[in-house]
Structures are given as structure tokens and as C-alpha cells.
Amino acid sequence: MKFKSRKKEQFFWGYLFLAFPLLLLTVFVFFPIGFAFAVSFFDWNLLIPDKPFVGLGNYIELFKDPVFIKAIKNTIIYTAGVVPVQTLLSLFLAFIMNQKIRGRAFFRTAFYIPAITSSVVTSIIFVWIYSKPGLLNYLLNSAGIESNIDWLTNPLTVLPSIMMLNIWTTSGYFMVSFLAGLQNIPSSLYEAAKIDGANQWQQFWKITVPMVRPVTYFVVIMSLIGCFQVFDQIFIMSSGGPDNASTTMSYFVYQNSFKYFRFGFGAASAAILALLIFATTVIQKKYFPPDAY
Amino acid sequence: MKVNILYLIPLLLLFGCGEKQTVARYTSWQSSQTEEKIIRQTLRNFEKKYPNISYQFQPIPGNYTEKLQLMLGTGKAPDLFWLKGDTSPAYMSFDVLEPLDSFLEQDTDFEIDDFFPVFRDAFKYRGKNYGVAKDFNAYVLFYNKRMFAEAGLDTVPTTWQELYTFSKKLTKDTNGDGKIDQYGFVIEPSIDIVMPFAYQNGGEIITEDGEIKIGEPEFIEATEFMMSLYRDGIATNPADVGAGWMGDVFSRRQCAMAISGAWLIPYLKDNAPNLEYGVVELPRGKRKATLAFSVAMVIPKQSTHKEDAWQMLSYLSGKEGMKTWTESGIALPTRKSVAEENGFYQDSLYSVFMKSVDYAKLYKVNMQERWFDDSQAAMQGIFYKKKDIAQTLQELAVTLEKYKLD
């Protein structure tokens, strides 16, 4: 083939290689996103051929729906609770795992195993741990703290309990990201700090934290998105109950679409969720950019 | 993620397109291996009798409702399938099911009048029959004979008042550690536990004419009665003792009485073979009432093999098929003749269910699906947050207005 210029040739081959993945992404990702957004303006019941256009009707109904308002609140509480703790914990774990301590490989594996275990399995295990005669109450009582509640049917404890589970499962995953970041920090920085008399604590805050900032940025965004979309743990552990105390936005979307036959309404709530995630990411990018320190 | 999609593509191209249905397809869920064995046995008998009808049996092991919805929506629905009684109003209102009236008229062997009255028109909507009740279950009262004997009780509770006093007598601390380890009764914060008692009290969730009655005094009283058992500490809750469900509490001997359907019988056989129990009708309020659960066999409108599907339905829910399906007791027959043939009227356990049929009300609420989750949330609020019962139910009544079927 002949090309008028080298640039055009690169253009052609570049897009040729991209064509197949792009086609797949279009069919399975971009089109469904657009389609779901379009569906949110209809009263869309899969089983009824007549799907009337309702404009913003679904959105207006959403904000009048007390369960949806509760779902937004729960989702925000969930995210605000999990993300900071998770990020700090995984950085802390990575910092320790980066030291030359005995049994390092074992601990790294131990912390990473929850991340690669199916969320269904971990959720079921935690249903038992949180039950009234379960391990958590046993440990608390052994430690002298009187505790006799069922953590998953108590409206006050159900959401924090599921948050704890999520922190436990994903901290190990993000620990690995932080480990990679830590290993990129030149040891000369620490040596220089030591000569200047900085202790471990100071080294951590003044060298480690600023140097892994790009990784932190990645971790925060990924865990924000993950938290906003939390579904499987809720589905298995509490079904959104009791009294919608743990209904999250994703669970609301699922309920309305697949249980109540209301795909339009479900799509509208999914669109709000997408908007929320998008807005949070934009704010983060603007005020906490990855490369400024 | 991308890799997964790449692998899927050839599969989709190979199997996804051009699928043509040449024979009738029959779909059910399967909750146990015993159930599957009996279904297959019934089908083998069907094949012998109707060798000219070819069909495929395609059970759906999990997420039945979701999968079925997608199959119906994409025109790939099976020609004959099971539909849960409580989801049936939505399906009937969406007009996706084939009315069976003409089949019922033509097929004189079917004898719909053999069905118990409560199931005969169970799946009637706007004057048309959309399904046949293939079997049923009903809430009755299970009681632990040994605990009754220990408490010196030689009768069973027959009224609300007795249910309360019996529960009180049966609640005790058996090992003397200061903690109660045997409760009289067990309840779950679930609307279907309150419903039979509300019916007994003359209450209802929604009337035939579509009037919502859940906020009325009759319903509130029944809820208050059920809650008083829990709040007074003479009934427990599965979560409180680390059990999965009410029958589980009963099988662990942590309560003396429990409301359940016949599904508890095989469960007790497997999990508490030595437990001596009896089954009696639910204690009565102003009148006798209980809740009956049923599953419909339905044919979708989009089916291209309706004649064959009806032939199958007619056999499976006919006298012969229903007998094979129900004689072991995993499900109860909706035909009077089959119940008689199975000897259920003479059986000490099953006769109680047969008696309950006379006054049972079908668990089928004519509202959009969401009524259930909202009612459940209200019950959980009452149960776990100690919300005011009357106020919560009155608010619920207002919410439910939105879910009326039009």
C-alpha cells in the first residue's frame, strides 16, 4: 500500500490494530452505556411491547422516592467511610511489607488472599462471623466487652459491618499497588533523611507519602468507583435490609430493573449513580491531582 | 475484562444466532435432588402416554425470575413454565400469558372442578384463567411434643389467647444460667407471617376491588398481637439465636412452636430425625384463616407450541401426573381426588394441611412486585427499630397506593 506521508501510514496501521478492540468496546460498552441512558427516558418494561416516552418522569419520580434518597445516603456514607480507611490501611500495610521483616512473603500472601477470593465466599463467611452466636460477638465477649447483637439485622450496625468487610477484602489488593509505588522510591532519599536525623515516622510522612502520590491517586479513584458500585456484599449479606438501612444505589438499580420490571426507572437511577461517580472523580482530579506536591 | 469479552465473541457467534425452536420446551426451577428425580419420573410417565409429543426439559437452577423475565422479553421463553403465585399478578397484568379458558373447555378429561375451590380460580385475572395451580403449601402450626409434655400441656393452642399463654409457659431457662434458651414461639419480621393472623381478624392487604386495607385496625391489631409475642420475650427470632429461618429454630429445639408449611417436614427428617413433633391448624382469631402458597403452570403468549404445551400441562397437573408428583409428600395436591388417593386425609400430618385448604387464602397480592419489599421494610422497621405499629402501617398504606395494578 502507498501512503502520501509517513504520518498517514502510521494513522492507518494504528487504527487497523485498534479496530477490533474498538468494535468490541463499542458493542459491549459504549453502546450499552448510551442505550441505558436513552432507556432512562422511557417507561421501559421488557415484557410489554409498548414503551412510552416519559421524558424526565423517571428522574422526577426518583427524587420523590424515599428509598432512593436513603440509597444515595447509604452509598455516600459507605464510600466516605471505606475509601479513606482503606487507602490509609493499604499504604500502611505496604509500608510494613516493604521492610525487611521475617516472613514477609507469608504476610504479603495472607493480606492478598481476601482480594482474590470470591466476594460471595467472603460475604457468606462474614454472615456467620457477624451472626449473634458468631465469632465477632465471641471475641468481643472474651475481651470483656458485652456484645449480644446480630450485626446484620441491627439497623445501626449493618452498614458499618459491611464496610468493615469491604475494607478487609480490598486493602490487600491496593497494598500491592502501593508496594509497586514504594519500590520505585530511590533508597538514597531515605539514606539522606536518616543522615539528617529523621525517624521512621517522619520518613513515612515526609518521603513515602508524597512520593507515592500518583499511586494514591489511582487507589483513591479505583476504590471510590468500587464503593459507589457496591452490590454483591449487600445482595448476599443483608438484601438491603433491615428497613432499607443497607440499600445502596446499585442494589436499588437491580431491584427496580430485575425484580420490579422497571428498566427505565432502574436506568435512571443508574444514570444518577454514574453522574455521582463522574462528579467525584472530576473533583478529585481538580483538587487532588496525581503529580502535585 | 477485555480478554473475557474476546473469548465470548466466537461463542456468541456460534450459538447465539439462528436458534430455532422445533419442540415444546418445559422449564421449572429445582430446589432439591429429590424434586428433580420426581419431575423426571413424571416426565417419563408422560412420554409413555404421549409418545407422539416431543419436548425438551430445561430447568433453571438459579435466579429463576430474572432469567425468565429476560427470556420472555427476548422472545425465547419456554412453552410451558412454572410461575410463582406471588409474582403471577404482575405477569398476568403484562398480558404475556396465554389464556387457558378454551383449553380448559375443550379438554374434558382435565376436570378443573376437581380442584379445591381456592385453587380453581387461583390464577384468574379479569375473568380469564392464565394458569393452573400445580400444587400448594399452607401455613400450619408445628409443635414440639416433648416440650409440651415437660410444661404439662396436653392440648394445643386453638386461639390467639392460648397461643400467647402457651408461649409464655413454654419459654424458660432450661440449664439455669440466667438466659432463656427455650422460647415458646418464633417469628420473623415478615409480612407473610402476619397475613394469616390479619385474615383471621378480618383484615386484608388489598381487597378484590383494589382498596388498600393494610392501615386499617384489623391489620394493625393482628400485627400488634404478633409483635407482642416478641416484645414480651416469649417468642424469638431466627437472627437472635443464629438460625437461618423459623424452621431451623424449631429443628434446633430452641422454640416449642413454629408456623411453617409442609417444607419443614423433610427438613426435620434430615436435620432433627429424633424430634417428636405434631402439626395442628393455626390458632384461630375471629375466624379461621391461613395462607396458602401455590405455583402456576403457564403457557406464554409467544409460544409456538401451545397445543403440545397444553397436552403436557394437562398431563402434569392431571390426576395421573399430580399423583406421581405429590404422593411422596414433597408437595401437596391441589386436586381433591388426588389428595384422597394419596391417603392424605388419613395421615396425621397431611390431613391438617387438607383441613386448612377449606379456609386458606392464596398468597397472591394484586399489586406491583415492589409492594412486598416495601411491606417487608415496614415490618423490619417495626421489629428492629421499634417503630410505632399503627403509624408505620398507615404510612405503608399510602405508599402502596402507587403499586396498584391498572
Side-chain angles (χ1 to χ4, degrees):
Chain A
M1 243 180 285
K2 276 209 167 143
F3 294 96
K4 275 182 189 157
S5 68
R6 175 137 181 88
K7 205 173 171 185
K8 280 208 170 137
E9 191 182 345
Q10 279 184 343
F11 184 83
F12 174 80
W13 288 109
Y15 275 95
L16 189 69
F17 280 115
L18 278 177
F20 190 56
L22 265 181
L23 181 79
L24 289 184
L25 279 175
T26 313
V27 173
F28 290 106
V29 179
F30 302 136
F31 173 72
I33 291 175
F35 192 72
F37 188 64
V39 165
S40 73
F41 297 105
F42 291 86
D43 182 2
W44 195 288
N45 181 330
L46 208 53
L47 302 184
I48 298 180
D50 182 31
K51 298 170 174 35
F53 179 77
V54 291
L56 289 173
N58 285 328
Y59 291 91
I60 294 166
E61 195 189 333
L62 265 181
F63 285 100
K64 284 185 190 157
D65 190 328
V67 179
F68 184 66
I69 304 294
K70 219 169 185 174
I72 296 185
K73 233 164 75 186
N74 287 339
T75 308
I76 291 174
I77 293 173
Y78 186 91
T79 309
V82 171
V83 175
V85 178
Q86 192 171 63
T87 311
L88 274 175
L89 186 67
S90 45
L91 176 57
F92 185 66
L93 284 177
F95 185 68
I96 295 174
M97 290 302 112
N98 202 29
Q99 314 288 320
K100 289 189 181 60
I101 55 165
R102 203 188 277 239
R104 190 168 69 165
F106 168 76
F107 285 115
R108 280 188 186 178
T109 316
F111 289 128
Y112 196 62
I113 279 178
I116 54 165
T117 310
S118 151
S119 62
V120 176
V121 175
T122 53
S123 301
I124 291 174
I125 293 173
F126 271 74
V127 168
W128 293 330
I129 292 179
Y130 286 140
S131 73
K132 206 162 184 176
L135 187 65
L136 181 61
N137 279 342
Y138 176 78
L139 290 177
L140 285 173
N141 287 324
S142 311
I145 304 160
E146 192 73 28
S147 163
N148 192 27
I149 57 165
D150 183 56
W151 294 81
L152 293 176
T153 56
N154 186 315
L156 293 175
T157 55
V158 58
L159 202 56
S161 300
I162 298 175
M163 286 157 71
M164 293 291 290
L165 162 68
N166 196 24
I167 291 169
W168 175 74
T169 50
T170 32
S171 289
Y173 174 75
F174 291 126
M175 174 191 81
V176 175
S177 314
F178 275 123
L179 260 177
L182 287 179
Q183 277 159 6
N184 277 337
I185 303 174
S187 55
S188 56
L189 286 177
Y190 290 106
E191 281 158 20
K194 263 185 227 159
I195 293 165
D196 290 341
N199 60 25
Q200 283 268 318
W201 189 244
Q202 286 166 324
Q203 285 176 36
F204 178 75
W205 284 108
K206 304 280 173 179
I207 298 172
T208 312
V209 174
M211 287 302 284
V212 293
R213 186 157 177 153
V215 181
T216 315
Y217 177 79
F218 164 80
V219 166
V220 170
I221 286 205
M222 294 313 282
S223 77
L224 266 177
I225 294 173
C227 284
F228 274 125
Q229 295 177 342
V230 60
F231 175 79
D232 12 2
Q233 287 90 348
I234 307 285
F235 182 73
I236 291 161
M237 298 174 78
S238 70
S239 306
D243 195 10
N244 293 315
S246 61
T247 300
T248 57
M249 290 171 82
S250 299
Y251 191 70
F252 185 88
V253 172
Y254 165 80
Q255 288 271 2
N256 280 284
S257 308
F258 292 98
K259 268 185 89 183
Y260 312 147
F261 308 95
R262 303 191 63 196
F263 277 91
F265 193 60
S269 45
I272 305 275
L273 174 60
L275 190 75
L276 198 63
I277 295 177
F278 182 72
T280 329
T281 318
V282 167
I283 290 170
Q284 201 205 340
K285 197 167 158 56
K286 184 151 187 220
Y287 294 101
F288 311 97
D291 42 8
Y293 40 84
Chain B
M1 186 67 196
K2 270 176 220 157
V3 178
N4 286 340
I5 292 170
L6 282 172
Y7 280 121
L8 271 174
I9 279 285
L11 285 176
L12 286 174
L13 292 177
L14 277 174
F15 303 115
C17 319
E19 197 185 338
K20 243 198 180 141
Q21 304 309 335
T22 50
V23 295
R25 286 162 306 134
Y26 170 46
T27 289
S28 77
W29 60 82
Q30 279 169 359
S31 38
S32 69
Q33 290 196 336
T34 333
E35 205 171 287
E36 184 183 348
K37 231 169 75 189
I38 304 176
I39 293 175
R40 298 214 183 254
Q41 181 58 48
T42 324
L43 288 173
R44 270 196 297 275
N45 295 347
F46 169 75
E47 283 165 28
K48 269 182 224 148
K49 200 164 177 189
Y50 296 94
N52 56 325
I53 294 177
S54 45
Y55 70 93
Q56 253 185 327
F57 176 50
Q58 299 177 331
I60 299 176
N63 289 37
Y64 187 84
T65 320
E66 288 88 342
K67 173 132 194 213
L68 201 62
Q69 189 190 159
L70 292 176
M71 289 170 102
L72 277 164
T74 51
K76 292 196 159 66
D79 303 282
L80 176 64
F81 61 88
W82 294 7
L83 185 64
K84 275 183 194 146
D86 49 326
T87 50
S88 66
Y91 281 87
M92 294 192 282
S93 74
F94 297 154
D95 199 25
V96 288
L97 304 178
E98 179 73 15
L100 302 177
D101 300 271
S102 59
F103 289 117
L104 286 168
E105 264 169 46
Q106 283 159 24
D107 193 338
T108 43
D109 294 340
F110 191 71
E111 287 180 50
I112 186 84
D113 291 324
D114 185 22
F115 281 72
F116 292 111
V118 56
F119 303 118
R120 196 193 172 286
D121 294 326
F123 301 101
K124 208 168 200 172
Y125 183 78
R126 301 229 165 114
K128 283 181 189 160
N129 260 308
Y130 286 96
V132 171
K134 75 174 187 72
D135 54 22
F136 84 98
N137 230 308
Y139 274 153
V140 294
L141 188 73
F142 284 69
Y143 69 99
N144 185 316
K145 285 185 174 166
R146 225 183 94 194
M147 290 181 188
F148 268 59
E150 277 168 7
L153 297 165
D154 49 10
T155 55
V156 289
T158 53
T159 61
W160 288 16
Q161 190 51 44
E162 278 178 11
L163 182 62
Y164 188 93
T165 50
F166 276 51
S167 297
K168 200 163 188 175
K169 274 187 201 148
L170 288 158
T171 300
K172 60 183 180 192
D173 168 19
T174 51
N175 56 8
D177 64 351
K179 278 184 207 154
I180 289 170
D181 37 36
Q182 176 191 312
Y183 289 88
F185 194 50
V186 58
I187 54 170
E188 255 171 2
S190 186
I191 187 83
D192 51 282
I193 298 300
V194 178
M195 277 161 82
F197 291 88
Y199 293 150
Q200 294 185 356
N201 203 33
E204 233 170 328
I205 292 182
I206 183 168
T207 63
E208 287 296 314
D209 311 327
E211 209 183 323
I212 287 166
K213 294 274 198 186
I214 203 167
E216 305 287 320
E218 290 87 1
F219 209 100
I220 294 169
E221 259 174 45
T223 315
E224 272 166 353
F225 169 67
M226 290 305 277
M227 279 312 302
S228 72
L229 293 165
Y230 182 68
R231 288 185 180 166
D232 296 351
I234 57 178
T236 185
N237 160 31
D240 283 349
V241 291
W245 55 294
M246 296 191 298
D248 197 13
V249 181
F250 186 76
S251 81
R252 295 166 178 213
R253 300 169 170 84
Q254 285 165 321
C255 67
M257 295 179 281
I259 291 179
S260 179
W263 53 79
L264 184 54
I265 297 172
Y267 185 82
L268 289 174
K269 209 187 245 169
D270 292 342
N271 294 284
N274 300 321
L275 195 147
E276 276 180 59
Y277 64 92
V279 174
V280 288
E281 293 171 77
L282 284 193
R284 59 174 291 170
K286 287 177 192 154
R287 61 175 184 221
K288 283 188 172 184
T290 187
L291 208 54
F293 303 86
S294 186
V295 171
M297 282 217 198
V298 296
I299 299 171
K301 244 188 184 146
Q302 56 180 252
S303 163
T304 47
H305 299 275
K306 284 175 192 153
E307 292 291 334
D308 286 356
W310 170 260
Q311 229 16 280
M312 285 189 86
L313 193 161
S314 168
Y315 177 81
L316 298 173
S317 304
K319 286 179 188 169
E320 231 179 288
M322 194 182 285
K323 185 167 175 352
T324 322
W325 172 235
T326 58
E327 61 192 349
S328 70
I330 58 159
L332 303 169
T334 39
R335 283 177 183 272
K336 199 170 166 46
S337 65
V338 176
E340 279 163 0
E341 254 188 83
N342 287 348
F344 282 177
Y345 282 96
Q346 283 80 46
D347 187 280
S348 63
L349 296 180
Y350 291 110
S351 60
V352 180
F353 293 92
M354 295 304 145
K355 270 185 245 162
S356 303
V357 166
D358 293 338
Y359 51 80
K361 218 170 131 63
L362 193 69
Y363 181 60
K364 186 189 88 179
V365 177
N366 284 319
M367 271 190 267
Q368 286 174 36
E369 296 273 299
R370 197 173 155 179
W371 83 268
F372 177 75
D373 287 300
D374 281 22
S375 306
Q376 214 61 355
M379 287 295 150
Q380 289 165 347
I382 290 170
F383 209 83
Y384 296 118
K385 290 184 174 169
K386 301 189 171 63
K387 280 190 182 168
D388 182 71
I389 294 171
Q391 195 195 338
T392 311
L393 289 179
Q394 278 153 6
E395 282 167 12
L396 177 64
V398 177
T399 314
L400 293 189
E401 287 291 333
K402 282 188 291 186
Y403 308 141
K404 281 183 182 172
L405 295 172
D406 37 39

